[in-house]
DNA sequence: CTTGACCGGGG
DNA sequence: GTGTACGGTCAAG
């Protein structure tokens, strides 16, 4: 039979010393298809010390190889000579195939021990990824699979694949469901699910709401949850931090009841895949896509918010927020069975926001899956560097290049010990308020620099080279004769992006086609921008400190050159960081295009300086030394939208009163109302002094990582937790302590009480240690002092800007 | 200045 | 299981 389908998930199974690759697919008609391949065998390469023939003979002679201690035979199915490219030269290698993936690392050790072997390569590529790479299979693309059918348990159809052919893109809509748990005293009390035209809240409480389904027990709640996913046959299950939290809780609770989380497409139970510090909850055949790791690893650099909690991310990406409900309120509601409808709405809202975020993010994940070829499960959990690396592995395979080995822990440490090389150039601003600023930035500075100068691990220090690019400062060179691996990939990605962008102009802005193109363009941008960081990442297979260092060096050259040109043309340089400059001049709006043209005419092909934005005002502060502070500024555009960088107003160890006051002060300053800014600060200080500030505004969060008694050092949150414990309050391990500095006690730690026991607050503490430092960071620039903020009554400032 | 512990998200 | 890998901040040394 023949089926047109796309791959959703992949793994392999071994039985009786034979391996079968499984690709879980979705057909055009929306049916589940399990594709099995029994003919693909695990392999790796052995690079000979001198002669490939000699190595081959030695291998034949030494056969059979056994596990360490003389256990099972490590079967060699085939030994094949191959010619591959290693760096910039061609090498003869042996391709050694074996029966099961688990043999590969063992067999590679045996062969590497031979004198005739220089090294082994490509022995640590997970088998299902190896399969996808070698077969050219990528998720989110259509293929025609042909072969005999078989009956697959729990899945619509099974196919033993004989041939695979690429097919034209089709479109398909996944059934997506977002979920979220509410947990109270280690028990699941609510589970919310949100999908297209679907909202459901499972809970053990009686709540009169349409979407609520009351169950008898926690056990039943979990069983219903599993049932719903099975019934809907959900393709994409999503959530926020579901790997580390929700599924961890679900696993513990279902173990408690002896029930199985049979959430796989074929009924297989949920399994945690450990990957270093993280674990991923894997539901075979379905895409369980936890948004948090993807945001953390991939999207974070492009996110303004300093915290990555659901509320901030939803605010930034959707312009929506979670319902206002504190942990205290939820507990109270549950304990007293009061206002449960509100609690239920809150719980559902979490799933709803997650779902809406997923509608934006999941297409980005599946798009990246298509380019890197990784299954979505991996794409959404791997770090930036690992995504890049999997793309590189695929591209290397297409070019018959040998993949570099992963560095050992030892060489990673060595790379790290080498220390950092210089990064981007940052122009030290003068503190103050500036009007009418234009910001310019280099489009993809590092990628374009790498292309412009052919910076790549495989162009570094080539002996036989006609044209070299040398940087005086460094004792290495990059060969310009042929295009390097990295520049070629970047150029392709940038070129593709350019074409996609022009295609986008032909489409309606909110059409599905436009969205799809936008995601593709976005994914290519993410990848193109990742190469520079990858080269300097100590865990990289294609690590090249030289190429990374040369990239930032040339980046600095270009930005400094731009600044020089701007000065020559009479611009005032306000600020600049890595790839951007902030300029000021009379009639800047008219003149800036001419300046851009001039700079761009002198740049190498592919590099481009672009207009980024026009800002009505910009504010820059200074360090304690009085020198202008780098990376700490606020801008306001003509619509009154603020862009705040580097200020502490979003950090959780600052109280709401300090953060809010700082933000209001910044806004007033940017509106050119410095007097009002001072008054705002002063009003808040006064309110604190008069005891008018609600305790809620004074809470500070710090996370407790072990039981409070185990801490050697004293700190406010630990002391607050200890005292609360003495009062009989349960303080779970690893909980976030919300505390307030009260007016009772000697030291700050003595004064700390958790929020619910705080009946007073230490006005001086909040004035001196929270509000004043936060606002003074802004107001000192205008000559205001701590004394004026604390002084009685109202007096106008004597700032130099008035 | 270097080293080591802690932390993120979730309730 | 072709295991297993972060990166930044801050207090202490």
């Amino acid at each position: 039979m023949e089926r047109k389908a796309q791959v959703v998930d992949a793994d392999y199974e071994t039985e009786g010393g034979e391996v079968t690759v499984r690709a879980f697919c979705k057909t055009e008609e929306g049916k589940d298809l399990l594709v099995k391949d029994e003919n693909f065998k695990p392999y790796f390469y052995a690079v000979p010390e001198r002669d490939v023939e000699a190595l081959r003979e030695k291998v034949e002679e030494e056969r059979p190889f056994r596990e360490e201690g003389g256990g099972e035979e490590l079967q060699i199915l085939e030994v094949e000579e191959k010619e591959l490219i290693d760096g910039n030269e061609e090498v003869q290698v042996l391709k050694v195939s074996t029966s099961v993936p688990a043999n590969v690392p063992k067999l590679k050790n045996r062969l590497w021990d031979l004198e005739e072997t220089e090294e082994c390569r490509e022995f640590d590529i997970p088998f299902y990824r190896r399969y996808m790479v070698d077969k050219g299979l990528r998720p989110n693309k259509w293929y025609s699979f042909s072969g005999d059918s078989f009956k697959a348990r729990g899945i619509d159809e099974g196919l033993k694949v004989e041939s695979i052919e690429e097919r034209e893109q089709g479109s398909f809509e996944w059934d997506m469901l977002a979920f979220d748990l509410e947990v109270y005293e280690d028990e699941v009390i609510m589970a919310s699910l949100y999908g297209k035209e679907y909202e459901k809240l499972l809970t053990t409480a009686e709540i009169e709401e349409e979407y609520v389904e009351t169950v008898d027990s926690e056990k039943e709640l979990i069983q219903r949850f599993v049932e719903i996913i099975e019934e809907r046959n959900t393709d994409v299950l999503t959530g926020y931090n579901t790997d580390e939290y929700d599924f961890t809780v679900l696993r513990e609770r279902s173990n408690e009841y002896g029930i199985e989380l049979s959430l796989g497409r074929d009924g297989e139970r949920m399994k945690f895949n450990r990957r270093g510090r993280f674990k991923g909850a894997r539901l075979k055949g379905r895409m369980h896509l936890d948004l948090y790791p993807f945001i953390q690893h991939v999207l974070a650099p492009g996110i303004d918010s300093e915290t990555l909690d659901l509320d901030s991310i939803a605010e930034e990406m959707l312009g929506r927020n979670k319902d206002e409900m504190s942990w205290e309120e939820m507990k109270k509601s549950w304990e007293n069975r009061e206002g449960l409808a509100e609690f239920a709405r809150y719980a559902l809202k979490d799933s709803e926001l997650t779902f809406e975020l997923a509608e934006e993010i999941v297409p980005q994940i599946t798009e990246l899956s298509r380019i890197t070829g990784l299954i979505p499960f991996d794409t959404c959990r791997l770090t930036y560097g690992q995504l890049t690396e999997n793309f590189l592995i695929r591209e290397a395979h297409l070019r018959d290049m040998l993949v570099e080995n992963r560095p050992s822990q030892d060489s990673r440490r060595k790379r790290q010990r080498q220390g950092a090389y210089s990064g981007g150039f940052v122009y030290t601003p003068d503190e103050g308020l500036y009007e009418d600023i234009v910001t310019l930035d280099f489009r993809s500075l590092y990628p374009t620099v790498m292309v412009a100068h052919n910076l790549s691990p495989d162009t570094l220090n080539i002996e036989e080279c006609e044209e070299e690019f040398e940087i005086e400062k460094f004792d290495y060179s990059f060969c310009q004769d042929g295009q390097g691996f990295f520049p070629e990939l970047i150029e392709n990605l940038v070129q593709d992006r350019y074409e996609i962008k022009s295609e986008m102009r032909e489409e309606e802005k909110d059409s599905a086609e436009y969205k799809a193109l936008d995601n593709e363009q976005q994914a290519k941008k993410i990848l193109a921008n990742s190469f520079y960081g990858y080269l300097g990442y100590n865990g990289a297979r294609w690590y090249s400190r030289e190429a990374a260092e040369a990239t930032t060096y040339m980046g600095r050259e270009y930005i400094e050159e731009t600044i020089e040109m701007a000065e020559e043309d009479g611009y005032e340089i306000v600020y600049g960081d890595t790839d951007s400059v902030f300029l000021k001049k009379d009639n800047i709006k008219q003149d800036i295009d001419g300046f851009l043209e001039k700079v761009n005419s002198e740049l190498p092909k592919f590099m481009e300086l672009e207009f980024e934005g026009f800002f009505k005002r910009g504010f820059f502060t200074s360090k304690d030394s009085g020198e202008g502070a780098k990376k700490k500024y606020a801008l306001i555009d003509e619509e009154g939208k603020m862009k705040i960088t580097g200020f502490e107003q979003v950090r959780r160890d600052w109280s709401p009163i300090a953060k809010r006051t700082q933000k209001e002060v910044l806004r007033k300053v940017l509106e050119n109302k410095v007097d009002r800014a001072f008054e705002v600060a002063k009003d808040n200080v006064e309110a604190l002094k008069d005891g008018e500030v609600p305790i809620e505004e004074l809470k500070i969060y710090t996370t407790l990582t072990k039981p409070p008694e185990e801490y050697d050092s004293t700190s406010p949150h630990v002391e607050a937790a200890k005292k609360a414990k003495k009062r009989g309050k349960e303080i779970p391990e690893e909980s976030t302590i919300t505390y307030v500095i009260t007016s009772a006690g000697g030291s700050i730690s003595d004064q700390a009480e958790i929020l619910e026991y705080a009946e007073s607050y230490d006005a001086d503490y909040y004035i001196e240690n929270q509000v004043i430092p936060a606002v003074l960071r802004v107001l000192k620039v205008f000559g205001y002092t701590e004394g004026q903020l604390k002084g009685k009554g109202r007096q106008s400032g004597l700032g130099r800007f008035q």
Side-chain angles (χ1 to χ4, degrees):
Chain A
M1 68 176 197
E2 185 179 340
R3 289 289 178 274
K4 186 175 166 187
Q6 51 176 313
V7 181
V8 169
D9 191 19
D11 72 346
Y12 69 92
E13 45 183 20
T14 46
E15 213 188 298
E18 299 271 342
V19 65
T20 308
V21 180
R22 305 195 298 176
F24 294 86
C25 304
K26 202 84 184 177
T27 68
E28 253 183 320
E29 301 80 28
K31 285 207 167 144
D32 295 315
L33 172 72
L34 178 59
V35 171
K36 282 192 178 185
D37 195 332
E38 295 167 344
N39 302 313
F40 186 72
K41 301 299 175 193
Y43 69 88
F44 64 97
Y45 295 111
V47 182
E49 189 67 54
R50 276 175 294 277
D51 177 33
V52 72
E53 256 326 297
L55 175 59
R56 183 202 263 275
E57 276 165 28
K58 182 71 179 174
V59 169
E60 294 300 341
E61 193 185 307
E62 291 287 320
R63 275 172 84 164
F65 293 91
R66 297 192 177 274
E67 284 188 39
E68 214 147 2
E72 290 280 297
E73 181 183 342
L74 303 166
Q75 252 185 47
I76 293 180
L77 300 179
E78 201 183 359
V79 182
E80 193 187 344
E81 281 172 35
K82 287 216 131 199
E83 188 171 292
L84 295 171
I85 298 158
D86 190 17
N88 65 323
E89 55 191 34
E90 287 181 353
V91 289
Q92 296 280 333
V93 297
L94 280 191
K95 178 178 176 181
V96 180
S97 305
T98 181
S99 53
V100 291
N103 283 350
V104 169
K106 298 171 194 161
L107 198 54
K108 146 229 136 189
N109 285 336
R110 296 287 89 77
L111 261 71
W112 203 326
D113 286 344
L114 302 176
E115 260 174 44
E116 288 77 1
T117 307
E118 189 197 327
E119 59 170 355
C120 293
R121 301 283 276 270
E122 306 200 15
F123 45 78
D124 56 359
I125 297 164
F127 190 53
Y128 66 93
R129 287 191 209 161
R130 172 93 272 174
Y131 181 78
M132 303 264 292
V133 168
D134 287 28
K135 298 286 176 184
L137 276 176
R138 300 159 185 269
N140 204 10
K141 268 179 98 88
W142 293 93
Y143 298 90
S144 153
F145 296 93
S146 313
D148 292 336
S149 72
F150 72 93
K151 215 174 143 31
R153 193 172 61 89
I155 292 180
D156 300 330
E157 294 186 304
L159 189 153
K160 287 193 179 173
V161 69
E162 271 146 33
S163 71
I164 305 172
E165 261 179 80
E166 218 176 296
R167 284 281 176 262
E168 277 299 294
Q169 198 70 10
S171 68
F172 193 81
E173 211 172 306
W174 305 110
D175 177 68
M176 184 162 80
L177 214 52
F179 86 104
D180 176 54
L181 300 184
E182 305 300 323
V183 178
Y184 174 71
E185 293 187 340
D186 294 331
E187 269 190 38
V188 183
I189 57 173
M190 291 179 184
S192 60
L193 296 119
Y194 194 96
K196 228 176 200 127
E197 286 157 36
Y198 184 81
E199 33 181 57
K200 170 77 79 186
L201 186 95
L202 302 171
T203 178
T204 48
E206 294 283 349
I207 304 170
E208 288 302 317
E209 291 288 338
E210 222 178 310
Y211 55 85
V212 172
E213 180 179 324
T214 302
V215 290
D216 290 337
S217 63
E218 186 191 16
K219 181 180 174 184
E220 199 185 309
L221 190 156
I222 297 170
Q223 286 170 323
R224 265 301 281 154
F225 173 76
V226 172
E227 223 171 78
I228 290 170
I229 289 159
E230 276 173 346
E231 275 169 14
R232 288 181 65 94
N233 196 14
T234 296
D235 298 306
V236 178
L237 184 67
T238 182
Y240 206 82
N241 202 24
T242 39
D243 280 341
E244 297 292 329
Y245 188 73
D246 303 71
F247 267 116
T248 308
V249 170
L250 278 176
R251 160 58 61 82
E252 274 168 25
R253 300 310 293 161
S254 47
N255 280 350
E256 183 85 9
Y257 295 117
I259 52 179
E260 278 204 353
L261 293 170
S262 49
L263 286 162
R265 191 84 81 177
D266 57 354
E268 191 180 312
R269 55 180 290 190
M270 182 280 286
K271 265 201 198 124
F272 280 118
N273 275 24
R274 278 225 79 81
R275 24 182 95 222
R277 214 172 54 83
F278 301 105
K279 59 184 192 290
R282 184 127 187 217
L283 318 177
K284 282 300 162 54
R286 291 186 217 284
M287 297 180 266
H288 168 224
L289 305 180
D290 183 351
L291 301 185
Y292 174 65
F294 185 73
I295 289 174
Q296 192 188 35
H297 294 144
V298 179
L299 302 183
I303 279 172
D304 288 332
S305 162
E306 289 188 32
T307 55
L308 302 180
D309 54 293
L310 178 58
D311 191 45
S312 319
I313 298 299
E315 180 173 306
E316 185 166 335
M317 294 184 65
L318 308 168
R320 298 188 56 192
N321 283 90
K322 289 171 61 143
D323 283 354
E324 286 267 344
M325 195 167 189
S326 70
W327 178 224
E328 304 297 319
E329 287 171 309
M330 283 185 245
K331 278 198 291 199
K332 232 174 259 169
S333 162
W334 187 255
E335 279 163 11
N336 308 330
R337 293 287 193 268
E338 265 171 23
L340 280 172
E342 205 185 320
F343 189 4
R345 246 194 322 280
Y346 169 90
L348 188 68
K349 183 79 171 276
D350 270 12
S351 285
E352 184 187 338
L353 289 178
T354 308
F355 181 82
E356 286 184 15
L357 275 178
E359 285 193 307
E360 302 271 325
I361 293 172
V362 169
Q364 293 184 42
I365 294 173
T366 50
E367 190 54 46
L368 260 180
S369 276
R370 182 158 61 151
I371 302 172
T372 61
L374 289 163
I375 55 173
F377 177 85
D378 288 335
T379 303
C380 95
R381 288 167 178 85
L382 293 181
T383 60
Y384 224 122
Q386 291 156 339
L387 286 176
T388 310
E389 190 152 278
N390 280 284
F391 175 75
L392 294 172
I393 289 173
R394 210 167 251 272
E395 295 294 324
H397 181 81
L398 287 171
R399 291 164 176 75
D400 283 332
M401 286 166 61
L402 265 179
V403 171
E404 300 289 336
N405 281 343
R406 287 222 313 246
S408 63
Q409 273 308 328
D410 198 46
S411 56
R412 288 187 66 163
R413 270 193 294 274
K414 264 186 211 141
R415 289 172 179 184
Q416 209 147 30
R417 267 201 301 277
Q418 277 213 290
Y421 46 88
S422 312
F425 170 79
V426 188
Y427 182 94
T428 309
D430 285 333
E431 62 172 22
L433 193 58
Y434 299 82
E435 303 243 332
D436 299 339
I437 299 172
V438 161
T439 64
L440 307 177
D441 57 18
F442 279 95
R443 175 182 63 103
S444 307
L445 177 67
Y446 289 160
T448 56
V449 161
M450 287 166 70
V451 174
H453 301 286
N454 209 27
L455 308 178
S456 188
D458 54 322
T459 57
L460 176 69
N461 294 335
I462 307 284
E463 278 185 23
E464 284 168 43
C465 175
E466 294 197 358
E467 194 196 340
E468 288 182 341
F469 172 69
E470 279 175 300
I471 298 172
E472 225 172 288
K473 228 181 125 174
F474 306 129
D475 55 359
Y476 45 78
S477 69
F478 294 91
C479 186
Q480 307 294 301
D481 295 356
Q483 195 174 32
F485 185 39
F486 279 60
E488 182 190 339
L489 296 175
I490 292 169
E491 193 169 338
N492 286 345
L493 287 166
V494 171
Q495 200 60 49
D496 285 358
R497 243 193 111 206
Y498 188 70
E499 279 159 28
I500 295 164
K501 284 206 153 177
S502 79
E503 275 178 60
M504 280 169 74
R505 276 178 230 123
E506 320 262 294
E507 303 287 348
E508 291 285 329
K509 265 233 155 133
D510 31 58
S511 66
E513 288 77 14
Y514 184 91
K515 266 267 143 209
L517 288 169
D518 193 35
N519 284 321
E520 192 179 344
Q521 168 284 114
Q522 202 76 33
K524 294 197 163 166
K525 179 182 175 174
I526 286 175
L527 266 182
N529 286 334
S530 73
F531 294 123
Y532 151 70
Y534 176 80
L535 287 172
Y537 159 54
N538 64 47
R541 292 172 191 260
W542 280 275
Y543 175 80
S544 173
R545 185 192 159 90
E546 294 87 347
E549 182 178 58
T551 303
T552 58
Y553 179 85
M554 290 311 294
R556 290 196 298 277
E557 290 280 296
Y558 284 109
I559 202 78
E560 286 173 41
E561 180 69 24
T562 305
I563 286 175
E564 232 168 81
M565 286 173 77
E567 277 170 341
E568 281 164 18
D569 280 14
Y571 289 90
E572 178 187 350
I573 316 300
V574 177
Y575 184 62
D577 185 354
T578 311
D579 62 352
S580 67
V581 278
F582 294 19
L583 303 177
K584 210 178 119 58
K585 190 188 184 192
D586 291 337
N587 300 324
I588 195 161
K589 276 185 169 170
Q590 288 94 296
D591 293 356
I592 202 68
D593 284 346
F595 177 69
L596 278 171
E597 236 167 78
K598 187 169 152 189
V599 173
N600 282 322
S601 69
E602 295 189 17
L603 289 173
K605 179 189 148 202
F606 247 80
M607 293 193 64
E608 194 184 353
L609 185 68
E610 291 180 321
F611 174 82
E612 206 260 330
F614 177 78
F615 295 92
K616 196 80 204 94
R617 245 168 247 108
F619 169 75
F620 291 81
T621 185
S622 57
K623 298 192 285 193
D624 291 338
S625 64
E627 192 188 6
K630 295 171 175 179
K631 298 180 188 286
K632 200 170 269 187
Y633 59 88
L635 300 169
I636 192 163
D637 66 16
E638 287 173 298
E639 277 86 51
K641 198 168 177 292
M642 286 202 291
K643 181 172 151 45
I644 301 175
T645 304
F647 285 97
E648 43 278 269
Q649 44 113 19
V650 283
R651 295 175 44 154
R652 44 188 244 152
D653 48 357
W654 286 78
S655 58
I657 181 89
K659 293 191 279 191
R660 188 174 50 72
T661 310
Q662 188 186 52
K663 195 167 180 181
E664 284 172 27
V665 164
L666 274 172
R667 175 167 287 283
K668 291 290 172 253
V669 164
L670 289 172
E671 287 170 354
N672 207 16
K673 298 168 188 157
V674 177
D675 282 356
R676 278 296 301 147
F678 173 74
E679 281 166 31
V680 163
K682 189 94 169 85
D683 287 346
N684 280 286
V685 170
E686 291 289 325
L688 273 167
K689 216 181 276 179
D690 299 341
E692 288 165 3
V693 179
I695 302 273
E696 269 285 315
E697 288 264 292
L698 304 167
K699 62 189 177 191
I700 301 168
Y701 297 102
T702 312
T703 309
L704 209 54
T705 50
K706 51 187 177 185
E709 321 56 78
E710 287 175 25
Y711 281 82
D712 296 329
S713 56
T714 53
S715 58
H717 72 290
V718 173
E719 296 309 305
K722 279 188 192 165
K723 276 182 275 184
K725 229 173 168 177
K726 246 183 228 163
R727 294 208 205 192
K729 165 97 183 158
E730 237 189 286
I731 304 284
E733 269 181 54
E734 295 182 35
S735 56
T736 299
I737 304 299
T738 309
Y739 66 93
V740 171
I741 304 298
T742 70
S743 55
S747 68
I748 298 298
S749 288
D750 285 342
Q751 288 169 269
E753 290 280 2
I754 68 166
L755 183 63
E756 60 173 299
Y757 297 137
E759 282 166 1
S760 62
Y761 66 82
D762 181 352
D764 283 341
Y765 173 82
Y766 284 96
I767 294 170
E768 308 260 352
N769 297 56
Q770 292 271 327
V771 172
I772 288 191
V775 299
L776 219 49
R777 204 171 280 294
V778 182
L779 292 175
K780 67 168 184 193
V781 171
F782 305 99
Y784 290 101
T785 61
E786 189 170 343
Q788 285 171 309
L789 283 161
K790 284 194 289 193
K792 284 226 163 7
R794 191 154 299 181
Q795 57 192 62
S796 76
L798 302 166
R800 59 186 171 112
F801 287 86
Q802 299 177 60

